[in-house]
Amino acid sequence: MSSSDDTLPHPQAECSSPPPNQSQIQLPLLIHQLSFNQDNTCFSAVTDRGFFVFNTEPYRPLICRDFESGLSLLSMLFRFEVFVLVGSSYSPSPSAAATNTKALLWDDHASRCIGELSFRSPIRSIRLRRDTIVVILLHKIYLYNFSDLKLLHQLETTSNPKGLCEVSQISGPMLLVCPGLQKGSVRVENYGSKKCKFINAHSSNITCLALTHDGRVLATASSKGTLIRCFNTLDGTLIQEVRRGADRAEIYCLAFSPTAQWLAVSSDKGTIHVFSLKADSVVLGDDRSTSALESPLSNQSALSSLSILKGVLPKYFSSEWSVAQFRLPEGSRCIVAFGQQKNTIMIIGMDGSFRRCQFDPVNGGQMTQMEEHNFLKQEEHFPSWNEDS
């Protein structure tokens, strides 16, 4: 392992990063990252000049901050006004204020940096829990105590340029999933049982992961992008396999509904898919009120009509397909999450679009778009910034 992935000796409790310039961010903006917070009540957009935070239900702007040095990553912790920010450029100097090798703990209410973690190689992604900060590098993952930035644990992974990693969000011991040391494998680190398990999920490289809030169910996609697999993280068994399509695709996002009844998928093919899942027998505290008759999988409507020939025809014909779809232009880069309203999803795109759509859980088919906004139109969302400029 190269020493370039080693953390620097001591995290700083305070840092002197300059405060954001609280004036209007000038268009056009280049979006570096889009993400939802842990309960999907907010989403953030990181640009080459700063970041935005929006409320999702109802849709409305919350925060607009301009960092002249630029940002590449942001991670929110539910609705707290504390963010972890990562700069947009590489600097070999550890004293540089905002680079992609530093994670800055930002108190937005006080408008100041309250902590800093420095590394010798670029940060690929950040994951937060109420008690833990998880920093993902190319070959390593570091876990820090949120309160004092004490290093708790570190893991080695295969090359992980996308920074793939997910953590459970319920109180209690954490469960973490990340790429394993072999192609197509996923490492499951259970900090409750203090056991580590490797799941051979795919034959090709893992490109996307999702985890239910309680950490019981894992969804995976590979570089082929045709099949999505769901696993029980406790024993590593395959729960279900669903098919996005027959052609190769780059999977951008996998997202579970709160009760793991549904899984949403976005890819470079431009179609958002919603699949019905059988994971309710695994997820603890499942309070699904929907009867089995409302689940398309229970009456086989999500299965190919040729499933009776399973074992005779290729596996493709007996695959489980999506229940509902929403079509965007091919190549549209977006992420998805389930809304608080029943049977709704939210789609945010790198083009600045926000959409809310509703799907029919019984009949499926094309989703209905309920609303659409462009969150880069600051004159609509942040009129006070215009007045100050």
Side-chain angles (χ1 to χ4, degrees), residues 7 34 67:
T7 183
L34 295 171
F67 283 78

Side-chain angles (χ1 to χ4, degrees), residues 364-380:
Q366 182 71 5
M367 298 185 218
T368 302
Q369 181 170 297
M370 303 168 67
E371 59 180 300
E372 180 179 3
H373 306 276
N374 185 337
F375 57 79
L376 294 181
K377 289 187 176 180
Q378 297 160 246
E379 66 276 10
E380 296 178 8

Side-chain angles (χ1 to χ4, degrees), residues 49-60:
R49 292 293 304 277
F51 68 90
F52 302 100
V53 177
F54 283 78
N55 195 72
T56 56
E57 297 190 33
Y59 171 87
R60 60 184 175 88

Side-chain angles (χ1 to χ4, degrees), residues 241-372:
E241 178 183 277
V242 297
R243 181 175 288 276
R244 179 212 54 81
D247 299 331
R248 293 182 73 100
E250 181 182 357
I251 303 299
Y252 293 144
C253 179
L254 302 173
F256 285 103
S257 65
T259 58
Q261 182 179 4
W262 309 102
L263 177 73
V265 180
S266 68
S267 74
D268 63 354
K269 293 297 183 181
T271 300
I272 310 299
H273 295 272
V274 172
F275 297 90
S276 181
L277 297 183
K278 304 169 182 175
D280 57 315
S281 61
V282 178
V283 178
L284 285 178
D286 181 12
D287 58 355
R288 285 164 51 176
S289 58
T290 305
S291 69
L293 293 177
E294 290 185 37
S295 175
L297 271 183
S298 65
N299 58 26
Q300 303 291 310
S301 66
L303 297 177
S304 165
S305 60
L306 297 177
S307 61
I308 192 172
L309 299 178
K310 184 176 181 180
V312 179
L313 293 176
K315 189 176 181 181
Y316 174 89
F317 293 101
S318 60
S319 296
E320 295 183 14
W321 298 84
S322 60
V323 172
Q325 307 82 32
F326 185 81
R327 290 176 174 82
L328 298 168
E330 187 167 344
S332 299
R333 194 174 188 91
C334 62
I335 63 172
V336 293
F338 284 87
Q340 298 172 41
Q341 299 178 48
K342 191 176 182 181
N343 304 326
T344 61
I345 66 166
M346 299 171 290
I347 308 167
I348 52 176
M350 296 293 280
D351 60 354
S353 61
F354 172 92
R355 293 179 173 90
R356 193 187 320 277
C357 302
Q358 188 168 42
F359 61 93
D360 186 327
V362 177
N363 299 313
Q366 182 71 5
M367 298 185 218
T368 302
Q369 181 170 297
M370 303 168 67
E371 59 180 300
E372 180 179 3

Side-chain angles (χ1 to χ4, degrees), residues 159-205:
S159 181
N160 187 13
K162 290 188 173 183
L164 301 179
C165 180
E166 299 298 335
V167 294
S168 60
Q169 292 297 335
I170 60 173
S171 59
M174 178 174 65
L175 187 137
L176 177 150
V177 295
C178 64
L181 295 173
Q182 304 296 325
K183 182 173 69 173
S185 74
V186 178
R187 177 173 184 162
V188 179
E189 196 75 25
N190 191 323
Y191 290 90
S193 64
K194 298 183 179 179
K195 292 182 179 179
C196 175
K197 180 179 293 292
F198 290 89
I199 297 174
N200 294 319
H202 298 270
S203 59
S204 51
N205 289 324

